[in-house]
Amino acid sequence: MPANLTMQYRRAEAAFRRAATPREELECLQHMLRELPKHKGTDKLQADLKARIAKAKLDLQRPVAAKSTSKITKQGAGQVLLVGAPNSGKSQLLNALTGARADVAPYPFTTRDPTPGMMRFEDCPIQLIDLPPITAEYLEANVVEWVRGADLVLLVVDLDSDQLIEDTLAVVNQFQHSKTRLAVQTRLDEDDIGVSLTKTLLVMNKCDARDADERMAFFNEHTDLPFGQLPVSACESSGLDTLRKSVFDALDIVRVYTKHPRQKEPDMDKPLIVR
């Protein structure tokens, strides 16, 4: 028997896929159950939702490790995340693009907490956040939550490392095994409830390094990642203007310059930013 799901249920399902925290997921699941038509065609879906609600409640009751007390809220035209392997240059890239003062050191896991900064493209502010590094063995749970709620992900690749393929695929695979995945376009997976995909660009960092061109060619030959690529050097400030423009374009936003009824000219300093 067909489920004949209503538009209200579809909206609740879409909200669940955008949920960024376990509490939001629980609330959305409860909303989905309320909106779900009750008949034989939805018996299995009802049981699945009830089981997931029970699990979500148990997860919220479990003690969690203390997190940083600083809360970063969305600001600017969009929230863009820097993710990547240890020593890929994410923090240096954040500093170069925003003027932030994130710690930079030649050893792994320098970044322990999300570090924000504000990048400007022309008159448009865009929030960048440097996240803790990811390896095949290590992925902080809150990193997945950040990516789920972000507008764009910049996956930073280290062109000065002979392990760039292994390190990059380790990051991608960590997300592939979660409900939040990296993709060419931000969307909801229509075939797998709860799975969301976040638009991603590859930032090929340290393009000034020795043998960087050869490593990039080797990377492209032996990987089939579909993401767009942007070669940059945070150290030499090379390619950063192109990166800013590419981020702005990827966010798919429009600037609207408003005018007071008593004024002849619009305010060209602070545009209204809309999708």
Side-chain angles (χ1 to χ4, degrees):
M1 180 181 292
N4 294 326
L5 300 177
T6 63
M7 184 60 66
Q8 290 85 347
Y9 176 85
R10 296 291 189 186
R11 292 196 188 101
E13 184 182 43
F16 170 76
R17 291 170 173 171
R18 294 192 301 269
T21 67
R23 172 65 63 182
E24 291 178 5
E25 288 186 352
L26 173 59
E27 293 173 354
C28 291
L29 285 169
Q30 292 170 331
H31 188 196
M32 289 166 63
L33 184 60
R34 289 194 298 270
E35 297 294 343
L36 182 67
K38 307 301 191 293
H39 52 71
K40 285 189 176 181
T42 63
D43 284 348
K44 183 177 179 181
L45 186 52
Q46 288 183 59
D48 178 64
L49 286 172
K50 290 176 180 178
R52 297 178 74 173
I53 288 171
K55 181 179 182 301
K57 288 180 177 179
L58 285 175
D59 290 342
L60 285 173
Q61 292 173 359
R62 292 172 182 165
V64 297
K67 295 182 180 179
S68 173
T69 55
S70 62
K71 184 177 180 181
I72 303 172
T73 58
K74 277 192 173 184
Q75 298 179 13
Q79 188 177 81
V80 181
L81 307 180
L82 295 166
V83 304
N87 287 349
S88 57
K90 298 184 292 86
S91 298
Q92 193 170 45
L93 192 60
L94 176 76
N95 293 346
L97 288 168
T98 70
R101 296 182 179 180
D103 291 337
V104 177
Y107 51 81
F109 295 96
T110 307
T111 302
R112 297 183 178 274
D113 297 302
T115 305
M118 193 64 72
M119 178 185 78
R120 299 195 72 87
F121 172 74
E122 297 177 353
D123 55 5
C124 183
I126 299 170
Q127 185 182 52
L128 296 189
I129 300 178
D130 178 21
L131 295 183
I134 301 168
T135 69
E137 297 80 24
Y138 179 79
L139 172 65
E140 288 193 7
N142 62 341
V143 167
V144 176
E145 295 177 8
W146 278 104
V147 171
R148 190 179 187 90
D151 299 303
L152 179 69
V153 168
L154 300 180
L155 175 51
V156 183
V157 178
D158 183 2
L159 290 177
D160 196 26
S161 170
D162 291 333
Q163 302 297 316
L164 75 167
I165 292 180
E166 295 86 346
D167 291 344
T168 304
L169 293 182
V171 175
V172 174
N173 290 335
Q174 283 280 24
F175 287 102
Q176 286 300 113
H177 292 96
S178 75
K179 288 288 187 179
T180 301
R181 298 168 188 173
L182 307 181
V184 176
Q185 293 292 339
T186 297
R187 62 183 179 88
L188 304 176
D189 192 331
E190 297 296 335
D191 299 322
D192 192 348
I193 185 172
V195 172
S196 68
L197 302 97
T198 304
K199 186 170 186 176
T200 302
L201 297 176
L202 283 177
V203 177
M204 313 301 286
N205 193 25
K206 306 181 187 179
C207 65
D208 59 313
R210 182 179 179 182
D211 299 328
D213 291 341
E214 289 81 356
R215 289 194 182 94
M216 185 182 296
F218 184 78
F219 180 92
N220 290 327
E221 182 180 353
H222 292 87
T223 65
D224 58 356
L225 296 178
F227 315 130
Q229 295 185 8
L230 298 163
V232 305
S233 170
C235 182
E236 299 293 333
S237 297
S238 172
L240 298 188
D241 288 341
T242 300
L243 176 57
R244 290 185 179 94
K245 177 65 163 57
S246 298
V247 168
F248 175 83
D249 291 341
L251 291 175
D252 195 24
I253 53 182
V254 175
R255 289 170 287 183
V256 179
Y257 298 90
T258 59
K259 180 178 75 69
H260 192 277
R262 296 181 179 179
Q263 295 177 336
K264 293 183 179 181
E265 300 297 331
D267 182 358
M268 302 300 292
D269 295 325
K270 295 182 179 180
L272 176 66
I273 298 169
V274 296
R275 292 283 171 176

PDB file of all heavy atoms in Angstrom, residues 30 37 58 66 74 78 84 150 212 214 216 249 255 263:
ATOM      1  N   GLN A  30      10.120  13.780  16.103  1.00  0.00           N
ATOM      2  CA  GLN A  30       8.813  13.820  16.753  1.00  0.00           C
ATOM      3  C   GLN A  30       7.788  14.534  15.875  1.00  0.00           C
ATOM      4  O   GLN A  30       6.618  14.119  15.798  1.00  0.00           O
ATOM      5  CB  GLN A  30       8.939  14.505  18.114  1.00  0.00           C
ATOM      6  CG  GLN A  30       9.739  13.686  19.130  1.00  0.00           C
ATOM      7  CD  GLN A  30      10.059  14.461  20.397  1.00  0.00           C
ATOM      8  OE1 GLN A  30      10.189  15.695  20.367  1.00  0.00           O
ATOM      9  NE2 GLN A  30      10.167  13.754  21.513  1.00  0.00           N
ATOM     10  N   PRO A  37       0.860  10.216   8.037  1.00  0.00           N
ATOM     11  CA  PRO A  37      -0.475   9.619   7.932  1.00  0.00           C
ATOM     12  C   PRO A  37      -0.478   8.235   8.580  1.00  0.00           C
ATOM     13  O   PRO A  37       0.472   7.457   8.414  1.00  0.00           O
ATOM     14  CB  PRO A  37      -0.706   9.531   6.421  1.00  0.00           C
ATOM     15  CG  PRO A  37       0.231  10.537   5.829  1.00  0.00           C
ATOM     16  CD  PRO A  37       1.424  10.562   6.724  1.00  0.00           C
ATOM     17  N   LEU A  58      17.706   8.384  24.276  1.00  0.00           N
ATOM     18  CA  LEU A  58      18.769   7.743  25.051  1.00  0.00           C
ATOM     19  C   LEU A  58      20.107   8.444  24.836  1.00  0.00           C
ATOM     20  O   LEU A  58      20.881   8.653  25.786  1.00  0.00           O
ATOM     21  CB  LEU A  58      18.877   6.266  24.664  1.00  0.00           C
ATOM     22  CG  LEU A  58      17.795   5.326  25.200  1.00  0.00           C
ATOM     23  CD1 LEU A  58      17.981   3.925  24.629  1.00  0.00           C
ATOM     24  CD2 LEU A  58      17.835   5.284  26.730  1.00  0.00           C
ATOM     25  N   ALA A  66      32.916  17.509  28.048  1.00  0.00           N
ATOM     26  CA  ALA A  66      32.734  18.960  28.060  1.00  0.00           C
ATOM     27  C   ALA A  66      33.284  19.569  26.790  1.00  0.00           C
ATOM     28  O   ALA A  66      34.356  19.219  26.313  1.00  0.00           O
ATOM     29  CB  ALA A  66      33.452  19.548  29.271  1.00  0.00           C
ATOM     30  N   LYS A  74      26.235  31.754  13.398  1.00  0.00           N
ATOM     31  CA  LYS A  74      26.354  32.089  11.986  1.00  0.00           C
ATOM     32  C   LYS A  74      26.321  33.595  11.798  1.00  0.00           C
ATOM     33  O   LYS A  74      25.486  34.281  12.367  1.00  0.00           O
ATOM     34  CB  LYS A  74      25.222  31.451  11.191  1.00  0.00           C
ATOM     35  CG  LYS A  74      25.483  30.005  10.807  1.00  0.00           C
ATOM     36  CD  LYS A  74      24.460  29.535   9.775  1.00  0.00           C
ATOM     37  CE  LYS A  74      24.822  28.142   9.262  1.00  0.00           C
ATOM     38  NZ  LYS A  74      23.900  27.689   8.197  1.00  0.00           N
ATOM     39  N   GLY A  78      27.306  33.752   4.688  1.00  0.00           N
ATOM     40  CA  GLY A  78      27.303  32.296   4.707  1.00  0.00           C
ATOM     41  C   GLY A  78      28.373  31.782   5.639  1.00  0.00           C
ATOM     42  O   GLY A  78      29.308  32.507   6.007  1.00  0.00           O
ATOM     43  N   GLY A  84      40.230  19.281   6.847  1.00  0.00           N
ATOM     44  CA  GLY A  84      41.377  18.659   6.198  1.00  0.00           C
ATOM     45  C   GLY A  84      42.197  17.853   7.182  1.00  0.00           C
ATOM     46  O   GLY A  84      41.888  17.775   8.381  1.00  0.00           O
ATOM     47  N   ALA A 150      26.541  23.684   7.681  1.00  0.00           N
ATOM     48  CA  ALA A 150      27.312  24.691   6.952  1.00  0.00           C
ATOM     49  C   ALA A 150      26.744  24.943   5.559  1.00  0.00           C
ATOM     50  O   ALA A 150      26.002  24.133   4.999  1.00  0.00           O
ATOM     51  CB  ALA A 150      28.765  24.260   6.834  1.00  0.00           C
ATOM     52  N   ALA A 212      54.991  20.639  -6.297  1.00  0.00           N
ATOM     53  CA  ALA A 212      53.544  20.763  -6.096  1.00  0.00           C
ATOM     54  C   ALA A 212      52.773  20.400  -7.362  1.00  0.00           C
ATOM     55  O   ALA A 212      51.730  19.734  -7.295  1.00  0.00           O
ATOM     56  CB  ALA A 212      53.193  22.174  -5.634  1.00  0.00           C
ATOM     57  N   GLU A 214      53.654  18.353  -9.760  1.00  0.00           N
ATOM     58  CA  GLU A 214      53.684  16.903  -9.969  1.00  0.00           C
ATOM     59  C   GLU A 214      52.733  16.187  -9.015  1.00  0.00           C
ATOM     60  O   GLU A 214      52.035  15.241  -9.403  1.00  0.00           O
ATOM     61  CB  GLU A 214      55.105  16.372  -9.771  1.00  0.00           C
ATOM     62  CG  GLU A 214      56.076  16.765 -10.879  1.00  0.00           C
ATOM     63  CD  GLU A 214      56.622  18.184 -10.718  1.00  0.00           C
ATOM     64  OE1 GLU A 214      56.191  18.887  -9.774  1.00  0.00           O
ATOM     65  OE2 GLU A 214      57.473  18.580 -11.539  1.00  0.00           O
ATOM     66  N   MET A 216      50.009  17.454  -7.699  1.00  0.00           N
ATOM     67  CA  MET A 216      48.633  17.718  -8.107  1.00  0.00           C
ATOM     68  C   MET A 216      48.242  16.829  -9.284  1.00  0.00           C
ATOM     69  O   MET A 216      47.123  16.286  -9.319  1.00  0.00           O
ATOM     70  CB  MET A 216      48.454  19.188  -8.489  1.00  0.00           C
ATOM     71  CG  MET A 216      47.005  19.553  -8.800  1.00  0.00           C
ATOM     72  SD  MET A 216      46.765  21.278  -9.304  1.00  0.00           S
ATOM     73  CE  MET A 216      47.262  22.128  -7.816  1.00  0.00           C
ATOM     74  N   ASP A 249      30.724  32.797  -5.250  1.00  0.00           N
ATOM     75  CA  ASP A 249      29.906  32.198  -6.312  1.00  0.00           C
ATOM     76  C   ASP A 249      29.253  30.896  -5.828  1.00  0.00           C
ATOM     77  O   ASP A 249      28.094  30.620  -6.148  1.00  0.00           O
ATOM     78  CB  ASP A 249      30.744  31.918  -7.552  1.00  0.00           C
ATOM     79  CG  ASP A 249      31.202  33.193  -8.254  1.00  0.00           C
ATOM     80  OD1 ASP A 249      30.598  34.253  -8.012  1.00  0.00           O
ATOM     81  OD2 ASP A 249      32.184  33.118  -9.023  1.00  0.00           O
ATOM     82  N   ARG A 255      23.270  40.222  -3.805  1.00  0.00           N
ATOM     83  CA  ARG A 255      23.314  41.435  -2.986  1.00  0.00           C
ATOM     84  C   ARG A 255      22.264  42.426  -3.489  1.00  0.00           C
ATOM     85  O   ARG A 255      22.222  42.740  -4.679  1.00  0.00           O
ATOM     86  CB  ARG A 255      24.709  42.058  -3.047  1.00  0.00           C
ATOM     87  CG  ARG A 255      25.764  41.253  -2.312  1.00  0.00           C
ATOM     88  CD  ARG A 255      27.162  41.763  -2.588  1.00  0.00           C
ATOM     89  NE  ARG A 255      27.600  41.412  -3.936  1.00  0.00           N
ATOM     90  CZ  ARG A 255      28.814  41.684  -4.409  1.00  0.00           C
ATOM     91  NH1 ARG A 255      29.679  42.323  -3.647  1.00  0.00           N
ATOM     92  NH2 ARG A 255      29.142  41.324  -5.626  1.00  0.00           N
ATOM     93  N   GLN A 263      15.496  59.208  -0.190  1.00  0.00           N
ATOM     94  CA  GLN A 263      16.829  59.350  -0.758  1.00  0.00           C
ATOM     95  C   GLN A 263      16.802  59.020  -2.246  1.00  0.00           C
ATOM     96  O   GLN A 263      16.042  58.163  -2.698  1.00  0.00           O
ATOM     97  CB  GLN A 263      17.821  58.431  -0.036  1.00  0.00           C
ATOM     98  CG  GLN A 263      18.036  58.815   1.432  1.00  0.00           C
ATOM     99  CD  GLN A 263      18.973  57.833   2.119  1.00  0.00           C
ATOM    100  OE1 GLN A 263      19.108  56.699   1.713  1.00  0.00           O
ATOM    101  NE2 GLN A 263      19.614  58.299   3.179  1.00  0.00           N
TER     102      GLN A 263
END
